[in-house]
Amino acid sequence: MKPEKVQQSKKEAASRRHELAAAQQTATAVGENIEPSSDKLLEEVLSRENLVKALKRVQAKQGAAGIDGMTVDELPDYLRQHWPRIREQLLDASYEPAPVREVPLRKTGGGIRLLGIPTVLDRFIAHAIMQVLSPIFDPDFSEHSYGFRPKRSALQAVEQARSYVAQGHRYVVDLDLEKFFDTVNQDMLMSRLAKRIKDKRLLKLIRAYLKSGIMKDGLVSMREAGMAQGSPLSPLLSNILLDELDKELERRDHKFCRYADGTPVPA
């Protein structure tokens, strides 16, 4: 082969590699950098790829049944039969989440924490929503927030606290928001969400999950405040609401590490 043809072949190969890399980066961006201003976020939630991922999460976590008694193992067959109807309800904003099943859980430090167990179907849909919202909100969260975030853990929070001790801090103010999940102001939370999410159908669906009732002893009571501590959406929504607290602590130049609704502040 002549030298000029070899050189041309190398240039063409390099060009193809560059095009392939660009295409791969674009595909990654579509999945990871979701545009929050889009009014089509609900379609992203209901995309096949996102739903398959959500189903795998529900199956991996297992968990107890909700008020309808459906188990995680029964969910795939149920979806095969009923998903077209459910999807249509989600798209036309007529879907109504089922009430959660109230389960009291005794805390190690004393007292009772009330968990709300959603149906496996609602856990599946909530996971799908969370997977779309997380890439929108999480990158802007404080570096001092460790609870329920991708690639973050309680161990990292402990290591951060130890680093504060190593810096010479000897006193700690332990901030614990009492009954936080039971007292969340839903209107305030929805206002925060609406600043970043423009798909009104998705906002209405999230509001429906916040408002879903609580079943206890066969009776359903409506929820006017708070959110179900047991829903896959709740950890992310709590971080969205508490991010303002994190930013205020940073503004005041406090050292802290927040995990969920607990925030040790060294002094």
PDB file of all heavy atoms in Angstrom, residues 35-61:
ATOM      1  N   GLU A  35     -32.783  17.424  31.072  1.00  0.00           N
ATOM      2  CA  GLU A  35     -33.106  18.843  31.096  1.00  0.00           C
ATOM      3  C   GLU A  35     -34.357  19.078  31.935  1.00  0.00           C
ATOM      4  O   GLU A  35     -35.461  18.689  31.555  1.00  0.00           O
ATOM      5  CB  GLU A  35     -33.335  19.339  29.662  1.00  0.00           C
ATOM      6  CG  GLU A  35     -33.725  20.796  29.584  1.00  0.00           C
ATOM      7  CD  GLU A  35     -32.758  21.694  30.330  1.00  0.00           C
ATOM      8  OE1 GLU A  35     -31.562  21.669  30.006  1.00  0.00           O
ATOM      9  OE2 GLU A  35     -33.216  22.412  31.246  1.00  0.00           O
ATOM     10  N   PRO A  36     -34.209  19.715  33.124  1.00  0.00           N
ATOM     11  CA  PRO A  36     -35.355  19.888  34.015  1.00  0.00           C
ATOM     12  C   PRO A  36     -36.430  20.814  33.466  1.00  0.00           C
ATOM     13  O   PRO A  36     -37.581  20.745  33.871  1.00  0.00           O
ATOM     14  CB  PRO A  36     -34.728  20.468  35.287  1.00  0.00           C
ATOM     15  CG  PRO A  36     -33.451  21.084  34.838  1.00  0.00           C
ATOM     16  CD  PRO A  36     -32.967  20.241  33.689  1.00  0.00           C
ATOM     17  N   SER A  37     -36.043  21.713  32.538  1.00  0.00           N
ATOM     18  CA  SER A  37     -37.030  22.652  32.019  1.00  0.00           C
ATOM     19  C   SER A  37     -37.989  21.993  31.036  1.00  0.00           C
ATOM     20  O   SER A  37     -38.973  22.598  30.622  1.00  0.00           O
ATOM     21  CB  SER A  37     -36.321  23.827  31.332  1.00  0.00           C
ATOM     22  OG  SER A  37     -35.562  23.366  30.227  1.00  0.00           O
ATOM     23  N   SER A  38     -37.694  20.754  30.653  1.00  0.00           N
ATOM     24  CA  SER A  38     -38.550  20.057  29.694  1.00  0.00           C
ATOM     25  C   SER A  38     -39.918  19.784  30.298  1.00  0.00           C
ATOM     26  O   SER A  38     -40.049  19.482  31.481  1.00  0.00           O
ATOM     27  CB  SER A  38     -37.893  18.737  29.274  1.00  0.00           C
ATOM     28  OG  SER A  38     -38.793  17.954  28.529  1.00  0.00           O
ATOM     29  N   ASP A  39     -40.951  19.894  29.453  1.00  0.00           N
ATOM     30  CA  ASP A  39     -42.285  19.543  29.918  1.00  0.00           C
ATOM     31  C   ASP A  39     -42.617  18.106  29.546  1.00  0.00           C
ATOM     32  O   ASP A  39     -43.771  17.695  29.559  1.00  0.00           O
ATOM     33  CB  ASP A  39     -43.331  20.506  29.335  1.00  0.00           C
ATOM     34  CG  ASP A  39     -43.351  20.474  27.811  1.00  0.00           C
ATOM     35  OD1 ASP A  39     -42.524  19.759  27.207  1.00  0.00           O
ATOM     36  OD2 ASP A  39     -44.202  21.168  27.215  1.00  0.00           O
ATOM     37  N   LYS A  40     -41.570  17.325  29.219  1.00  0.00           N
ATOM     38  CA  LYS A  40     -41.738  15.926  28.851  1.00  0.00           C
ATOM     39  C   LYS A  40     -40.988  14.992  29.810  1.00  0.00           C
ATOM     40  O   LYS A  40     -40.620  13.881  29.450  1.00  0.00           O
ATOM     41  CB  LYS A  40     -41.218  15.689  27.421  1.00  0.00           C
ATOM     42  CG  LYS A  40     -41.939  16.488  26.343  1.00  0.00           C
ATOM     43  CD  LYS A  40     -43.386  16.055  26.187  1.00  0.00           C
ATOM     44  CE  LYS A  40     -44.059  16.788  25.030  1.00  0.00           C
ATOM     45  NZ  LYS A  40     -45.497  16.401  24.894  1.00  0.00           N
ATOM     46  N   LEU A  41     -40.765  15.447  31.029  1.00  0.00           N
ATOM     47  CA  LEU A  41     -40.047  14.609  31.996  1.00  0.00           C
ATOM     48  C   LEU A  41     -40.812  13.337  32.329  1.00  0.00           C
ATOM     49  O   LEU A  41     -40.217  12.302  32.626  1.00  0.00           O
ATOM     50  CB  LEU A  41     -39.772  15.396  33.279  1.00  0.00           C
ATOM     51  CG  LEU A  41     -38.547  16.315  33.289  1.00  0.00           C
ATOM     52  CD1 LEU A  41     -38.374  16.934  34.655  1.00  0.00           C
ATOM     53  CD2 LEU A  41     -37.300  15.559  32.885  1.00  0.00           C
ATOM     54  N   LEU A  42     -42.127  13.410  32.297  1.00  0.00           N
ATOM     55  CA  LEU A  42     -42.920  12.221  32.610  1.00  0.00           C
ATOM     56  C   LEU A  42     -42.656  11.123  31.581  1.00  0.00           C
ATOM     57  O   LEU A  42     -42.632   9.942  31.933  1.00  0.00           O
ATOM     58  CB  LEU A  42     -44.412  12.562  32.666  1.00  0.00           C
ATOM     59  CG  LEU A  42     -45.332  11.431  33.147  1.00  0.00           C
ATOM     60  CD1 LEU A  42     -44.904  10.902  34.500  1.00  0.00           C
ATOM     61  CD2 LEU A  42     -46.775  11.900  33.204  1.00  0.00           C
ATOM     62  N   GLU A  43     -42.452  11.499  30.330  1.00  0.00           N
ATOM     63  CA  GLU A  43     -42.104  10.508  29.313  1.00  0.00           C
ATOM     64  C   GLU A  43     -40.761   9.852  29.644  1.00  0.00           C
ATOM     65  O   GLU A  43     -40.565   8.660  29.400  1.00  0.00           O
ATOM     66  CB  GLU A  43     -42.045  11.152  27.928  1.00  0.00           C
ATOM     67  CG  GLU A  43     -43.404  11.304  27.250  1.00  0.00           C
ATOM     68  CD  GLU A  43     -44.246  12.421  27.810  1.00  0.00           C
ATOM     69  OE1 GLU A  43     -43.726  13.195  28.630  1.00  0.00           O
ATOM     70  OE2 GLU A  43     -45.431  12.535  27.440  1.00  0.00           O
ATOM     71  N   GLU A  44     -39.838  10.641  30.205  1.00  0.00           N
ATOM     72  CA  GLU A  44     -38.551  10.085  30.632  1.00  0.00           C
ATOM     73  C   GLU A  44     -38.755   9.090  31.772  1.00  0.00           C
ATOM     74  O   GLU A  44     -38.135   8.036  31.815  1.00  0.00           O
ATOM     75  CB  GLU A  44     -37.621  11.215  31.071  1.00  0.00           C
ATOM     76  CG  GLU A  44     -36.238  10.766  31.476  1.00  0.00           C
ATOM     77  CD  GLU A  44     -35.391  10.333  30.294  1.00  0.00           C
ATOM     78  OE1 GLU A  44     -35.613  10.831  29.182  1.00  0.00           O
ATOM     79  OE2 GLU A  44     -34.510   9.483  30.505  1.00  0.00           O
ATOM     80  N   VAL A  45     -39.638   9.440  32.703  1.00  0.00           N
ATOM     81  CA  VAL A  45     -39.963   8.527  33.806  1.00  0.00           C
ATOM     82  C   VAL A  45     -40.512   7.212  33.272  1.00  0.00           C
ATOM     83  O   VAL A  45     -40.174   6.124  33.770  1.00  0.00           O
ATOM     84  CB  VAL A  45     -40.988   9.182  34.760  1.00  0.00           C
ATOM     85  CG1 VAL A  45     -41.514   8.166  35.769  1.00  0.00           C
ATOM     86  CG2 VAL A  45     -40.367  10.368  35.482  1.00  0.00           C
ATOM     87  N   LEU A  46     -41.344   7.291  32.239  1.00  0.00           N
ATOM     88  CA  LEU A  46     -42.039   6.116  31.714  1.00  0.00           C
ATOM     89  C   LEU A  46     -41.307   5.451  30.552  1.00  0.00           C
ATOM     90  O   LEU A  46     -41.873   4.563  29.902  1.00  0.00           O
ATOM     91  CB  LEU A  46     -43.451   6.507  31.272  1.00  0.00           C
ATOM     92  CG  LEU A  46     -44.344   7.107  32.361  1.00  0.00           C
ATOM     93  CD1 LEU A  46     -45.696   7.513  31.788  1.00  0.00           C
ATOM     94  CD2 LEU A  46     -44.527   6.128  33.515  1.00  0.00           C
ATOM     95  N   SER A  47     -40.078   5.856  30.301  1.00  0.00           N
ATOM     96  CA  SER A  47     -39.308   5.208  29.241  1.00  0.00           C
ATOM     97  C   SER A  47     -38.988   3.771  29.639  1.00  0.00           C
ATOM     98  O   SER A  47     -38.841   3.439  30.829  1.00  0.00           O
ATOM     99  CB  SER A  47     -38.011   5.973  28.973  1.00  0.00           C
ATOM    100  OG  SER A  47     -37.127   5.866  30.084  1.00  0.00           O
ATOM    101  N   ARG A  48     -38.874   2.907  28.645  1.00  0.00           N
ATOM    102  CA  ARG A  48     -38.646   1.483  28.916  1.00  0.00           C
ATOM    103  C   ARG A  48     -37.364   1.256  29.728  1.00  0.00           C
ATOM    104  O   ARG A  48     -37.361   0.495  30.698  1.00  0.00           O
ATOM    105  CB  ARG A  48     -38.573   0.705  27.604  1.00  0.00           C
ATOM    106  CG  ARG A  48     -38.300  -0.782  27.804  1.00  0.00           C
ATOM    107  CD  ARG A  48     -38.346  -1.561  26.508  1.00  0.00           C
ATOM    108  NE  ARG A  48     -38.001  -2.959  26.722  1.00  0.00           N
ATOM    109  CZ  ARG A  48     -38.834  -3.878  27.199  1.00  0.00           C
ATOM    110  NH1 ARG A  48     -40.085  -3.534  27.485  1.00  0.00           N
ATOM    111  NH2 ARG A  48     -38.445  -5.119  27.385  1.00  0.00           N
ATOM    112  N   GLU A  49     -36.290   1.937  29.335  1.00  0.00           N
ATOM    113  CA  GLU A  49     -35.019   1.767  30.038  1.00  0.00           C
ATOM    114  C   GLU A  49     -35.140   2.134  31.519  1.00  0.00           C
ATOM    115  O   GLU A  49     -34.645   1.429  32.403  1.00  0.00           O
ATOM    116  CB  GLU A  49     -33.946   2.618  29.376  1.00  0.00           C
ATOM    117  CG  GLU A  49     -32.568   2.496  30.017  1.00  0.00           C
ATOM    118  CD  GLU A  49     -31.537   3.382  29.354  1.00  0.00           C
ATOM    119  OE1 GLU A  49     -31.901   4.103  28.400  1.00  0.00           O
ATOM    120  OE2 GLU A  49     -30.377   3.365  29.791  1.00  0.00           O
ATOM    121  N   ASN A  50     -35.812   3.253  31.797  1.00  0.00           N
ATOM    122  CA  ASN A  50     -35.965   3.695  33.180  1.00  0.00           C
ATOM    123  C   ASN A  50     -36.847   2.744  33.981  1.00  0.00           C
ATOM    124  O   ASN A  50     -36.584   2.459  35.156  1.00  0.00           O
ATOM    125  CB  ASN A  50     -36.555   5.110  33.207  1.00  0.00           C
ATOM    126  CG  ASN A  50     -36.505   5.743  34.579  1.00  0.00           C
ATOM    127  OD1 ASN A  50     -35.456   5.810  35.211  1.00  0.00           O
ATOM    128  ND2 ASN A  50     -37.649   6.205  35.064  1.00  0.00           N
ATOM    129  N   LEU A  51     -37.909   2.230  33.355  1.00  0.00           N
ATOM    130  CA  LEU A  51     -38.821   1.316  34.044  1.00  0.00           C
ATOM    131  C   LEU A  51     -38.155  -0.023  34.349  1.00  0.00           C
ATOM    132  O   LEU A  51     -38.372  -0.601  35.421  1.00  0.00           O
ATOM    133  CB  LEU A  51     -40.076   1.101  33.203  1.00  0.00           C
ATOM    134  CG  LEU A  51     -40.991   2.322  33.030  1.00  0.00           C
ATOM    135  CD1 LEU A  51     -42.131   1.999  32.080  1.00  0.00           C
ATOM    136  CD2 LEU A  51     -41.527   2.804  34.378  1.00  0.00           C
ATOM    137  N   VAL A  52     -37.346  -0.513  33.416  1.00  0.00           N
ATOM    138  CA  VAL A  52     -36.627  -1.776  33.660  1.00  0.00           C
ATOM    139  C   VAL A  52     -35.691  -1.618  34.861  1.00  0.00           C
ATOM    140  O   VAL A  52     -35.604  -2.488  35.728  1.00  0.00           O
ATOM    141  CB  VAL A  52     -35.835  -2.201  32.405  1.00  0.00           C
ATOM    142  CG1 VAL A  52     -34.868  -3.334  32.727  1.00  0.00           C
ATOM    143  CG2 VAL A  52     -36.790  -2.630  31.296  1.00  0.00           C
ATOM    144  N   LYS A  53     -35.016  -0.480  34.913  1.00  0.00           N
ATOM    145  CA  LYS A  53     -34.120  -0.197  36.036  1.00  0.00           C
ATOM    146  C   LYS A  53     -34.896  -0.111  37.354  1.00  0.00           C
ATOM    147  O   LYS A  53     -34.451  -0.626  38.388  1.00  0.00           O
ATOM    148  CB  LYS A  53     -33.374   1.111  35.767  1.00  0.00           C
ATOM    149  CG  LYS A  53     -32.338   1.471  36.809  1.00  0.00           C
ATOM    150  CD  LYS A  53     -31.641   2.765  36.423  1.00  0.00           C
ATOM    151  CE  LYS A  53     -30.637   3.198  37.486  1.00  0.00           C
ATOM    152  NZ  LYS A  53     -30.005   4.495  37.108  1.00  0.00           N
ATOM    153  N   ALA A  54     -36.068   0.522  37.317  1.00  0.00           N
ATOM    154  CA  ALA A  54     -36.899   0.655  38.522  1.00  0.00           C
ATOM    155  C   ALA A  54     -37.383  -0.712  38.999  1.00  0.00           C
ATOM    156  O   ALA A  54     -37.392  -0.994  40.205  1.00  0.00           O
ATOM    157  CB  ALA A  54     -38.089   1.568  38.238  1.00  0.00           C
ATOM    158  N   LEU A  55     -37.793  -1.564  38.065  1.00  0.00           N
ATOM    159  CA  LEU A  55     -38.262  -2.902  38.434  1.00  0.00           C
ATOM    160  C   LEU A  55     -37.144  -3.700  39.090  1.00  0.00           C
ATOM    161  O   LEU A  55     -37.367  -4.393  40.086  1.00  0.00           O
ATOM    162  CB  LEU A  55     -38.793  -3.632  37.205  1.00  0.00           C
ATOM    163  CG  LEU A  55     -39.320  -5.055  37.440  1.00  0.00           C
ATOM    164  CD1 LEU A  55     -40.456  -5.051  38.458  1.00  0.00           C
ATOM    165  CD2 LEU A  55     -39.778  -5.684  36.128  1.00  0.00           C
ATOM    166  N   LYS A  56     -35.943  -3.593  38.553  1.00  0.00           N
ATOM    167  CA  LYS A  56     -34.802  -4.314  39.137  1.00  0.00           C
ATOM    168  C   LYS A  56     -34.523  -3.829  40.554  1.00  0.00           C
ATOM    169  O   LYS A  56     -34.160  -4.618  41.427  1.00  0.00           O
ATOM    170  CB  LYS A  56     -33.568  -4.136  38.256  1.00  0.00           C
ATOM    171  CG  LYS A  56     -33.632  -4.895  36.943  1.00  0.00           C
ATOM    172  CD  LYS A  56     -32.368  -4.686  36.115  1.00  0.00           C
ATOM    173  CE  LYS A  56     -32.426  -5.496  34.815  1.00  0.00           C
ATOM    174  NZ  LYS A  56     -31.206  -5.272  33.984  1.00  0.00           N
ATOM    175  N   ARG A  57     -34.699  -2.533  40.790  1.00  0.00           N
ATOM    176  CA  ARG A  57     -34.473  -1.994  42.142  1.00  0.00           C
ATOM    177  C   ARG A  57     -35.502  -2.547  43.127  1.00  0.00           C
ATOM    178  O   ARG A  57     -35.162  -2.919  44.251  1.00  0.00           O
ATOM    179  CB  ARG A  57     -34.553  -0.466  42.125  1.00  0.00           C
ATOM    180  CG  ARG A  57     -33.344   0.207  41.533  1.00  0.00           C
ATOM    181  CD  ARG A  57     -33.314   1.671  41.915  1.00  0.00           C
ATOM    182  NE  ARG A  57     -32.112   2.329  41.423  1.00  0.00           N
ATOM    183  CZ  ARG A  57     -31.616   3.440  41.930  1.00  0.00           C
ATOM    184  NH1 ARG A  57     -32.209   4.009  42.964  1.00  0.00           N
ATOM    185  NH2 ARG A  57     -30.536   3.992  41.433  1.00  0.00           N
ATOM    186  N   VAL A  58     -36.755  -2.568  42.693  1.00  0.00           N
ATOM    187  CA  VAL A  58     -37.804  -3.102  43.568  1.00  0.00           C
ATOM    188  C   VAL A  58     -37.533  -4.579  43.872  1.00  0.00           C
ATOM    189  O   VAL A  58     -37.657  -5.018  45.016  1.00  0.00           O
ATOM    190  CB  VAL A  58     -39.191  -2.937  42.911  1.00  0.00           C
ATOM    191  CG1 VAL A  58     -40.261  -3.646  43.731  1.00  0.00           C
ATOM    192  CG2 VAL A  58     -39.548  -1.460  42.775  1.00  0.00           C
ATOM    193  N   GLN A  59     -37.158  -5.344  42.864  1.00  0.00           N
ATOM    194  CA  GLN A  59     -36.887  -6.763  43.055  1.00  0.00           C
ATOM    195  C   GLN A  59     -35.674  -6.985  43.951  1.00  0.00           C
ATOM    196  O   GLN A  59     -35.652  -7.920  44.750  1.00  0.00           O
ATOM    197  CB  GLN A  59     -36.688  -7.445  41.702  1.00  0.00           C
ATOM    198  CG  GLN A  59     -37.962  -7.522  40.872  1.00  0.00           C
ATOM    199  CD  GLN A  59     -37.722  -8.025  39.461  1.00  0.00           C
ATOM    200  OE1 GLN A  59     -36.702  -7.707  38.837  1.00  0.00           O
ATOM    201  NE2 GLN A  59     -38.654  -8.804  38.932  1.00  0.00           N
ATOM    202  N   ALA A  60     -34.672  -6.117  43.839  1.00  0.00           N
ATOM    203  CA  ALA A  60     -33.470  -6.265  44.661  1.00  0.00           C
ATOM    204  C   ALA A  60     -33.753  -5.951  46.124  1.00  0.00           C
ATOM    205  O   ALA A  60     -33.229  -6.611  47.028  1.00  0.00           O
ATOM    206  CB  ALA A  60     -32.360  -5.351  44.124  1.00  0.00           C
ATOM    207  N   LYS A  61     -34.588  -4.947  46.368  1.00  0.00           N
ATOM    208  CA  LYS A  61     -34.883  -4.530  47.734  1.00  0.00           C
ATOM    209  C   LYS A  61     -35.934  -5.409  48.405  1.00  0.00           C
ATOM    210  O   LYS A  61     -36.010  -5.459  49.632  1.00  0.00           O
ATOM    211  CB  LYS A  61     -35.354  -3.066  47.748  1.00  0.00           C
ATOM    212  CG  LYS A  61     -34.270  -2.068  47.382  1.00  0.00           C
ATOM    213  CD  LYS A  61     -34.811  -0.648  47.363  1.00  0.00           C
ATOM    214  CE  LYS A  61     -33.726   0.362  47.050  1.00  0.00           C
ATOM    215  NZ  LYS A  61     -32.729   0.479  48.122  1.00  0.00           N
TER     216      LYS A  61
END
